[in-house]
Amino acid sequence: MPGGSFLAGTFIGNISFPACMISHCIDQSLVERAQTVMALLRRAGLSVVTAESCTAGLISTVLSQADGAGHCLHGSFVTYTKPHKVAALGVSRELLAAKGSVHEDVARQMAEGALHRSTADIVLALTGVIGPEEDEDGNPVGRVIFACGRRQDVLNVVEENFDAAHHEILRRAVVLRGLDYIRKVASG
């Protein structure tokens, strides 16, 4: 690459990125966990799509770093706001107005919407509050609802309340839990 090497840094256009920045963009322990999930998906001949609110696509980003992602990861719907949950996934406006974004039925509708708009075999949807503050509906930091399942099966919807640690630690814990849900569905 012009003006630099991979070890010294990388240039994209005329922007220089130090090697340390590139190697730490995504936590390698998360990628290792995603590698395990992706290997399981490949062996089972399954694919996955995510619908992410509070993680803003981080689970699919981590999955995309694993070998085999091109075969098994169909993509992600990042639906951070209520209007985008409606527009991108077909979540009911009335439900969002009555119950707010962090509700079991919202997670379920996000998952159903993602499956409807994808050919993936497995879906993981999640909505919640990672922080650093509670959301506009008063949901506390650490409240996250996951909906995960296979196409044609009943979705498993689970509310989890994580300790209100620093939001970066909380985000990592939520990503790990999401990967675990995908692994469980793919395994069984």
Side-chain angles (χ1 to χ4, degrees):
M1 295 190 155
S5 70
F6 183 75
L7 293 176
T10 298
F11 287 84
I12 299 175
N14 61 358
I15 301 170
S16 174
F17 295 90
C20 64
M21 178 183 272
I22 293 167
S23 66
H24 297 299
C25 183
I26 299 173
D27 183 322
Q28 285 306 298
S29 66
L30 293 177
V31 174
E32 289 168 12
R33 182 74 63 92
Q35 189 70 35
T36 302
V37 171
M38 195 59 65
L40 178 60
L41 289 168
R42 282 201 70 168
R43 280 193 307 274
L46 297 169
S47 57
V48 65
V49 65
T50 67
E52 302 180 55
S53 181
C54 57
T55 51
L58 188 55
I59 294 171
S60 65
T61 299
V62 169
L63 285 167
S64 77
Q65 301 303 299
D67 294 336
H71 300 284
C72 300
L73 176 62
H74 279 220
S76 180
F77 295 88
V78 178
T79 56
Y80 205 73
T81 65
K82 290 175 185 176
H84 198 57
K85 285 174 179 64
V86 173
L89 294 172
V91 174
S92 163
R93 277 188 181 87
E94 295 77 16
L95 173 62
L96 289 165
K99 302 292 183 178
S101 290
V102 186
H103 190 272
E104 292 85 356
D105 291 338
V106 172
R108 183 177 288 104
Q109 285 190 10
M110 289 172 63
E112 290 167 349
L115 281 175
H116 179 73
R117 291 159 176 80
S118 169
T119 59
D121 303 301
I122 294 173
V123 64
L124 171 72
L126 66 153
T127 183
V129 184
I130 291 180
E133 301 170 343
E134 68 181 25
D135 73 359
E136 73 273 11
D137 298 318
N139 289 294
V141 173
R143 182 175 184 221
V144 179
I145 300 171
F146 297 86
C148 193
R150 288 187 189 215
R151 185 178 298 281
Q152 312 304 328
D153 286 347
V154 176
L155 291 168
N156 183 29
V157 181
V158 178
E159 177 179 335
E160 301 215 22
N161 291 286
F162 295 85
D163 290 334
H166 185 275
H167 65 276
E168 291 300 326
I169 295 168
L170 181 56
R171 180 175 289 115
R172 185 177 191 288
V174 171
V175 169
L176 287 169
R177 189 62 51 87
L179 292 171
D180 283 345
Y181 280 122
I182 296 169
R183 180 188 53 77
K184 287 175 185 174
V185 169
S187 296

